Amino acid sequence: MDYERIKHTALQHKITTVDKVLELFKDGAVVASSGFTKAGDSKVVLPALAARNKDYPIQITLITGASLGNDTDAKLTSSGILKRRMPFQVDRVLRQAINNGEVLFVDQNLSETSEMLTDNQLPTIDVAIIEAAFITAEGDIVPTTSVGNSPIFAQKANKIIIEINTAVSTDLHGLHDIYIPEAYPNRKAINIFSPNDRIGANSIKVDPEKIAAIVFSNQVDSPADIAHIDTKTAAIASHLIRFLTNEVASGRLTKSLRPLQAGIGKVANAVLASLEQGDFEGLTMFSEVLQDSSFDLIDSGKLMFASAASITVSEACYQRVFNNLEKYRDKIVLRPQSISNAAEVIRRLGVIGINTAIEFDIYGNVNSSHIGGTHMMNGIGGSGDFARNAHMSIFVTQAASKGDSISHILPMVSHVDHNEHNVDVVVTDMGYADLRGLAPRERALKIIQNCAHPDYKDALQSYFDRAVKEVGGQTPHLLEEAFSWHTRLKQTGTMKHH
């Protein structure tokens, strides 16, 4: 047993087996777990809880930082244990259960969960499971590869289970900056003026009386899925780099830009990878997730510092980073998502937010969470936190997909996550539209001309022209036609007019 990982010796008697721990979970329990985009999540307790549910069926509410790895959400869903889930997920099995109405999903901005817990607006957390590299001599938790919502879970939970992961080096100590904003009305300013500012502790304070059990695991995080950069993705990245280069040429930005935020996925990776080739220098990040491309940029000398809530990388990059942690230690910091996604800090730093859309309409409204306006994909994630508060809010998507049978630029989006007021630039593989300072009628013309797929450009222009002529208004729409493209797709398999 790795007793040296529990430096607060008075807690060593809390070590127990996973089977014993499962007795802490009762029907109707509210359970919180560490984990943010597959990093730093429960490796043994949650999977064991799912496996036990066949013989001892219960249902729980599960709150995390973001998505879990190791197919844990799928295992929990298949076992029937999940009644309610928040605030984000990316699992195919869970997604289907959500859309079937079998699991109630609360889709939240990632800064919101900790706010609601702080203000006691959510039910009390019965049990929190937090992954740790080790427990300090003071009894504090040193997190692993993510911080997420773990600090607020530790503060608010009635009982805490600590999963000490011996596959993770104790050298992670010092990588984290743990700060929890005060409850209202006594909240103070979050004094971060640069991505590399540190304002908190390097471990999570825990009331030792709350620690109900300590178990051990020995398993690294699920590797990130690094999708191949295809032609469309490369084109999107190229147009975005062209836009940023023009901003530098105009004098609105310097070659170091502003702190960057990029969502997860292949487009974000492609954009960040492209920055390596561009004429940029002294870059910084204030984001949620550090992916492979973040460390490629650090290695290239382009990225000087990166702040996030988790590290989610491929297997090869995981080895590269955590086997050479000293190389990166002074260039990265991991924070709670209540800080990485804090409106105050995002606005103060002048962040450039780059996030992915499922679709956007001719006026710049963005849907980033629902297929066809009804079926959940993953969730809004942190995109809303950054879209509303960033110095520059950029959304990217392909112009068309599925053999070009689906246009991602539409007369009206089927669901709105980010309204036109919070969207500055939209980019597709066809080009980009800078919407800053434009009225709705101007935005429509620019989006149709610059971003729409050629197969749909004339139809979009016709819709807009007829809306202007027949209805008028600040934001002209033909309401009887606004969703006809989605209807046509459902009926015929394509959005194209035959």
Side-chain angles (χ1 to χ4, degrees), residues 319-336:
Q319 300 300 328
R320 179 172 114 214
V321 171
F322 293 105
N323 289 339
N324 301 280
L325 205 51
E326 287 309 308
K327 176 182 178 182
Y328 301 101
R329 181 177 293 281
D330 63 345
K331 297 178 177 67
I332 59 176
V333 64
L334 296 181
R335 309 183 191 276

Side-chain angles (χ1 to χ4, degrees), residues 448-467:
I448 294 167
Q449 182 61 41
N450 294 2
C451 298
H453 188 278
D455 290 357
Y456 296 97
K457 195 171 284 190
D458 289 347
L460 287 167
Q461 189 66 51
S462 170
Y463 174 89
F464 174 70
D465 291 342
R466 287 180 293 114

Side-chain angles (χ1 to χ4, degrees), residues 162-174:
I162 301 176
E163 270 193 32
I164 296 179
N165 190 344
T166 57
V168 176
S169 171
T170 55
D171 291 341
L172 263 67
H173 195 209

Side-chain angles (χ1 to χ4, degrees), residues 349-367:
L349 296 183
V351 168
I352 297 173
I354 305 166
N355 289 287
T356 304
I358 290 174
E359 60 188 18
F360 56 83
D361 65 27
I362 57 175
Y363 297 112
N365 298 292
V366 171
N367 169 18

Side-chain angles (χ1 to χ4, degrees), residues 100-273:
N100 289 343
E102 296 159 7
V103 175
L104 299 171
F105 181 53
V106 183
D107 181 23
Q108 291 186 309
N109 293 308
L110 292 187
S111 66
E112 189 68 15
T113 315
S114 60
E115 286 287 296
M116 295 182 78
L117 286 167
T118 298
D119 214 29
N120 299 315
Q121 295 177 16
L122 293 175
T124 302
I125 297 170
D126 296 298
V127 185
I129 311 154
I130 299 176
E131 184 179 80
F134 68 94
I135 299 172
T136 69
E138 295 74 33
D140 299 338
I141 298 172
V142 175
T144 57
T145 49
S146 74
V147 180
N149 278 323
S150 294
I152 193 69
F153 292 162
Q155 185 182 91
K156 290 292 185 177
N158 289 334
K159 294 178 181 177
I160 299 169
I161 300 165
I162 301 176
E163 270 193 32
I164 296 179
N165 190 344
T166 57
V168 176
S169 171
T170 55
D171 291 341
L172 263 67
H173 195 209
L175 214 60
H176 312 93
D177 186 49
I178 311 299
Y179 178 89
I180 303 178
E182 296 83 2
Y184 300 108
N186 300 310
R187 180 156 300 185
K188 299 179 177 66
I190 301 172
N191 289 317
I192 295 175
F193 301 93
S194 170
N196 61 351
D197 283 347
R198 286 175 171 268
I199 59 170
N202 54 26
S203 55
I204 299 171
K205 294 283 180 200
V206 185
D207 177 357
E209 295 297 313
K210 288 186 178 183
I211 299 175
I214 298 170
V215 296
F216 286 87
S217 69
N218 184 261
Q219 184 178 339
V220 298
D221 295 328
S222 290
D225 301 318
I226 304 300
H228 175 67
I229 297 176
D230 55 26
T231 305
K232 289 184 178 181
T233 306
I236 292 169
S238 174
H239 293 309
L240 183 46
I241 297 303
R242 181 164 57 90
F243 166 74
L244 292 172
T245 301
N246 289 341
E247 287 296 289
V248 174
S250 72
R252 286 188 287 269
L253 292 173
T254 67
K255 287 186 177 182
S256 59
L257 305 177
R258 298 272 172 83
L260 298 166
Q261 175 263 337
I264 59 173
K266 67 178 181 180
V267 175
N269 253 322
V271 169
L272 292 178

